[in-house]
Amino acid sequence: MESTLQGPAAVVSSPPMWLNRFATLGQAFFTELPPEPLPDPHWVATSPDCAGMLGLPDDWWRRPDWNALQVFSGNARWRGMQPLASVYSGHQFGVWAGQLGDGRALWLGEIDTPTGPMELQLKGSGLTPYSRMGDGRAVLRSSIREFLCSEAMQGLGIPTTRALCVTGSHLPVPREEIETAAVVTRVAPSFIRFGHFEHFAHHDQHEALRRLADFVIEHFYPGCRDAAQPYAALLQVVTLRTAELMAQWQAVGFCHGVMNTDNMSILGLTIDYGPFGFLDAFDPGHICNHSDHQGRYAYARQPNVAFWNLHALAQALLPLIEDSDSALAALETYKTAFPQALIERMSAKLGLATREGGDRELIDELLQRMAADRCDFTITFRRLGLFSTEPGAANAELRDLFIDRTSFDLWADRYTQRLQRENSVDAQRSVRMNRVNPKFVLRNHLAEVAIRQARADDFDEVARLVKVLRRPYDEQPEWAAYAGFPPEWAQSIEVSCSS
């Protein structure tokens, strides 16, 4: 598809093998437009790991002929890039919001990588037809948070969009206060969301809906093509991927904060990092989004919200599936897949190598004790890896996290007996547990320190966090301070939908 894009961005030399598969869907799916130039841009951060995944050379960001700083600030483009904003709709906080779309993002196209095509997208690149009341810009604060968490989740092994880089500018942007502009370059096999399907279903554009579903099946779920009901098979595989993703979120204490249907990836990726947070003190009712006044997206509610969102996707796919029983059957798989995925991950966090009927109660009792005593989620599970089953072992490092020591001791006795029944070897179990219980997560206060320094044009802390968070399960004793308890001032940090 030949682009007719007109705009100020210069075309410069670039890496080879650009693709534009999404653009073949047709004009009903997007609007072509150039990004708004970002004045006097500078580098804020780059991800060597993401660049390596894309097959880019180590010096990609400083090659004079590639002009990457200008390209990823929206001031130039590589040959083959075809900037466009896609249209979608969705439910926000459980209410139909109508047409939404890429209000501050532009899809650039795909680069052919060693692992397959990857889409690149600028976030914060200016107004689009879908910006509604927004200005189309992103600010340094939110861009750093998205950049860091994208790469942190990759380090944790959780499916996620990636972040190649962040560029910044001293261009003022009004939010609750005046901030400065930034652009984050996001990477994913696809940015297609549940909301894309909702949009065309809501407007009774069933041919476009079919074209979109066929596109997703062809490029991402080819195994669905030969199913008796390909669109029901599509719904089922998305259901299963979403169930697995929710189990992974819950197991590391990740709170998304704004699980609207337009923020749900059709590929089961974590997408759209805004008011996210990792649990500090364990509170199942924790609400990380200051804008979520009803607590719809509280930590403990995330699995049920995902199921609700899958129902919205099923409703959108019904014109193609036609048989509501088949759609319901696909959705029903969530009811078994999510609990199974969660118990497997939580059992691994406790170092259990076998399964017994009382394991769920053992896990639930630990979580109840943690919640009652507000134990730090990440630190508790990491210290659990040091648990000794030797007679008379005090397990003081873990025990001291709990206020009610008597209740903890009763649980520890049951845990010891459970481990002994499977002949668990402490040293071997500890190694296994440290592979699933991270020592480092992107706590809000860590991101906040990096943001404060970046506002003074000091980006070293961002780079340090990228380095630490890429290996969250390793001891990294030189970075032990990043694994400590959050400071008291961290309780005052608030993140909202503007984050």
Side-chain angles (χ1 to χ4, degrees), residues 188-249:
S190 175
F191 287 94
I192 294 175
R193 308 138 185 278
F194 290 11
H196 281 95
F197 293 87
E198 288 185 285
H199 176 78
F200 294 105
H202 180 78
H203 292 284
D204 293 325
Q205 295 177 320
H206 294 170
E207 186 51 44
L209 178 67
R210 186 182 304 276
R211 194 154 66 248
L212 177 63
D214 289 344
F215 177 89
V216 170
I217 289 172
E218 177 184 0
H219 294 299
F220 306 109
Y221 297 118
C224 295
R225 282 186 302 217
D226 298 327
Q229 294 178 301
Y231 305 116
L234 171 62
L235 177 60
Q236 180 167 335
V237 71
V238 175
T239 296
L240 294 174
R241 282 203 183 186
T242 303
E244 179 64 29
L245 181 67
M246 290 304 105
Q248 291 174 287
W249 284 8

Side-chain angles (χ1 to χ4, degrees), residues 160-195:
T160 178
T161 57
R162 302 293 301 275
L164 176 63
C165 60
V166 179
T167 67
S169 167
H170 292 293
L171 176 72
V173 178
R175 290 295 184 262
E176 287 88 348
E177 59 184 14
I178 298 298
E179 303 189 50
T180 57
V183 175
V184 58
T185 299
R186 310 197 290 188
V187 179
S190 175
F191 287 94
I192 294 175
R193 308 138 185 278
F194 290 11

